[in-house]
Amino acid sequence: MESRRERLRAETAAEIKRIALKHIAAAGPASVSLRAIARDMGMTAGAIYSYYDTRDDLITALINDVYTGLVQTLEAARDSKQADDGRGRLLAWALAYRKWAIANPEEFRLLYGDPAPGYRIPEGGAAAEAERRACAGITGLVAAAWPREVSGTYRWSDFEPDFVALVRAQFPDLPPAAIALTLRVWGRMHGLVALEVYGHLRSQIHDGAKIFEAEMLDMADELGL
Amino acid sequence: MESRRERLRAETAAEIKRIALKHIAAAGPASVSLRAIARDMGMTAGAIYSYYDTRDDLITALINDVYTGLVQTLEAARDSKQADDGRGRLLAWALAYRKWAIANPEEFRLLYGDPAPGYRIPEGGAAAEAERRACAGITGLVAAAWPREVSGTYRWSDFEPDFVALVRAQFPDLPPAAIALTLRVWGRMHGLVALEVYGHLRSQIHDGAKIFEAEMLDMADELGL
DNA sequence: TGTACATCAGTGAACGCGCGTTCACTGATGTAC
DNA sequence: TGTACATCAGTGAACGCGCGTTCACTGATGTAC
């Protein structure tokens, strides 16, 4: 029931994002400028305002798209392994995370660095939704390794209520300590990748794949997977 | 043997950095602007060019100072523990890393995020020197846990030659696998801190201290410390 | 101690840039009769 | 099928902004005799 006009409109909105992403990939998140995008599209800068109210709105849309894409990639990698292969699923997720980051460093910076000068991430946006989904994915991977022993004792009140509600709905049997472990696993996956993408391993090592894989293998061992 | 003029000059150069750091702490690394600094100092923007040839030169100087300060903090924390307390020293270093990052989030972003729009880190600068020093510090902590078993087999050629030379001079008995472990330890320390500083744990947890400490305790255990 | 000169930190004005955003408008596309 | 009108995507010019950088200059501070 969508008119020709609506279709064209949606296509233009999508092309704006496509060009913006091209700029990000080429020169980093800071290079997203409405004028530059318009120039590339053969349009006037003002025209973009029919599609996005504000530059920040566009950035938000980009973050949503990129984050959703990343999560889909991770889920697909995980699901390429048998459901009962907890170890394989965890490793597939982790390696896909690094692979995506190395292949899309600027997009990684968009999500996990400073998205753009002066930009503030909106509180309840769709990026937060994608982040929740990623987090739930890791929780599922950790759940496969449960029960087990970890450092520290936790209560549900250690976590944000909204997040607790979400987790408990999806994983009714997991204790708070498992959530703590989920976040730790996430951090452990993230650390080497962030260092590598931001160039901090460059003067030590040419390729971070090997130590990242070793780290993830040992992590899987320690999780008992 | 320094003249009055030289002293004043050095003081002004230092004040420029001090004000720049204040701006970074207040509004992030992207907010460093020569004009804003000059304004705060009651000077003209052009005057800064007697002290720093370029905006990027100033940023480089800031990164050097901040990184050096961080490394000194870490070394001091480590050295507050007995030399034979390998576990205590590792934990002191790690906790000091997070504490510094949480207390100085914008400085952390300056070092580990995008320093400033359009800024490229110079190759052989003093920031690289500070990074080497940090890396050597962790190597020392890992050395205390050696020998032990880890995933993967390594050759010296897996690492950058300059870095290898440095490590072998300082720790002649360590094998390449220990260096790999050093980088992994660094990554593991960095991951949760980076996520927390960039706000990615905000919707899950109010305070990352507890899970970070648990992660570091388990890491020390796994290192056999 | 006093004078003549050199140094050099800081001024102020200018250059040229790209940016986000607004707004009155044009002209093509769609709709209703 | 043809006409009258409504919609609305995109124009182009403007606003005001802050930025890095350059440059001829002034005037105070230091130096040499």
Side-chain angles (χ1 to χ4, degrees), chain B residues 5 9 35 43-44 47 51:
Chain B
R5 249 193 192 146
R9 200 184 157 68
R35 295 192 105 103
M43 284 169 73
T44 282
Y51 299 92

Side-chain angles (χ1 to χ4, degrees), chain B residues 137-159:
Chain B
I138 301 176
T139 306
L141 296 166
V142 167
W146 213 257
R148 55 167 295 94
E149 286 206 2
V150 290
S151 276
T153 58
Y154 299 87
R155 289 192 225 90
W156 286 117
S157 61
D158 291 331
F159 305 93

